Amino acid sequence: MQKLLVCYKWVLDEQDIKVTGDLSLDTGRAKYKISDYDKNAVEAGVLLGEQHGVSVEALTFGTAAVKQSLKDALSRGLDKVYWIGDAAAEQADAFVTANILAGAIKKAGPYDLILCGEGSADSYSQQTAPRLATLLGIPAITFVRQLSVADGRVTAIRKLGDCTEEVTVTGPAVISVLPEINKPRIPGLKQVMAAAKKPSEEVKVADLGLAAGELAPKVRSLSVKGYVMDRKKVIFKEANQADNVAKLVASLAQEGLC
């Protein structure tokens, strides 16, 4: 194994998004961050890089604002970041995103492993990794909760509903990881300062050789509204707490929730 790549997305911090009276979203004061799911992918890539002494690069696609992510990404142990800041990201779906990422990877690669988060914090379509693998003509392993590399072979434990599956593949491959795979590191002052000296490179969509149809989204978002849950507000007031618990369980069972 010689070189790894991690794909990440620069998204609005959901904690800063406000739901207004008409259920529209107010993002005026929302800051950006690396998607929490992608932080797990970055950590997984950096850990493998440290274990095997190989270079770990990253690739991100977004609007012009994505350039703000470079310092944070590089402070997390990455060696280099390729970034694509283009207005096409405003309406890009998984189809467009995968096409652009694949085009950039073909120019910057090859890579032994390409890691992604299982989904992004904003849309969570879970399509980008499988689409990317198809475009690159390499295997995809999704829902990965544990990952190791030995003797040129990748072994992954996948979480599938109420069971797990062990998969072994010879790279290159695209791996999408679950949040439970690790706990992302919090960069210290030393790492943040060192990030300023690490390389980054801008990639232009126009240089990827993509046709117009490959940049036309298949899905367009017309509007996004907040969700309001209508609670039943059932209160159990029995003196004996065991009776309250029994009634709660019976009520949940009646609703088909347990």
Side-chain angles (χ1 to χ4, degrees), residues 34 90 113 119 199 247:
I34 295 175
E90 289 282 3
L113 279 183
K247 286 189 175 183

Side-chain angles (χ1 to χ4, degrees), residues 26-228:
D26 179 5
T27 60
R29 297 186 178 181
K31 296 179 181 179
Y32 280 83
K33 67 175 182 179
I34 295 175
S35 172
D36 288 336
Y37 302 104
D38 293 337
K39 289 178 184 177
N40 295 108
V42 171
E43 182 68 16
V46 171
L47 287 174
L48 285 174
E50 292 171 348
Q51 292 167 10
H52 298 276
V54 299
S55 173
V56 185
E57 299 178 345
L59 172 63
T60 184
F61 163 56
T63 64
V66 77
K67 188 176 181 180
Q68 302 169 15
S69 72
L70 302 182
K71 190 173 183 179
D72 185 11
L74 290 168
S75 70
R76 295 176 182 276
L78 298 167
D79 297 302
K80 181 178 181 178
V81 175
Y82 294 92
W83 61 280
I84 307 169
D86 194 279
E90 289 282 3
Q91 291 291 335
D93 58 359
F95 170 77
V96 173
T97 299
N99 285 334
I100 289 176
L101 293 179
I105 290 170
K106 289 174 183 177
K107 289 179 68 70
Y111 294 96
D112 297 286
L113 279 183
I114 300 168
L115 289 91
C116 308
E118 186 57 43
S120 60
D122 49 4
S123 60
Y124 204 74
S125 67
Q126 299 177 282
Q127 293 185 31
T128 301
R131 284 181 178 275
L132 186 56
T134 300
L135 291 169
L136 296 174
I138 59 179
I141 307 177
T142 56
F143 301 104
V144 174
R145 62 180 296 183
Q146 187 175 331
L147 183 65
S148 61
V149 179
D151 300 324
R153 298 181 68 82
V154 180
T155 300
I157 305 297
R158 306 178 67 219
K159 183 178 181 180
L160 303 173
D162 59 353
C163 65
T164 59
E165 176 185 60
E166 182 174 317
V167 178
T168 302
V169 65
T170 301
V174 176
I175 311 290
S176 61
V177 302
L178 294 170
E180 61 197 73
I181 193 171
N182 56 44
K183 184 178 180 180
R185 67 191 67 187
I186 299 175
L189 179 60
K190 182 178 179 181
Q191 288 73 39
V192 172
M193 294 180 66
K197 300 178 182 179
K198 293 183 178 181
S200 63
E201 182 177 333
E202 182 179 9
V203 178
K204 298 287 188 180
V205 172
D207 296 334
L208 300 180
L210 299 174
E214 295 175 296
L215 298 175
K218 301 296 185 181
V219 177
R220 282 190 175 273
S221 176
L222 301 179
S223 66
V224 179
K225 289 187 175 289
Y227 176 75
V228 177

Side-chain angles (χ1 to χ4, degrees), residues 230-243:
D230 186 15
R231 299 184 181 276
K232 294 188 176 181
K233 300 178 182 178
V234 178
I235 301 175
F236 302 104
K237 298 182 178 180
E238 300 296 333
N240 188 331
Q241 293 301 322
D243 293 338

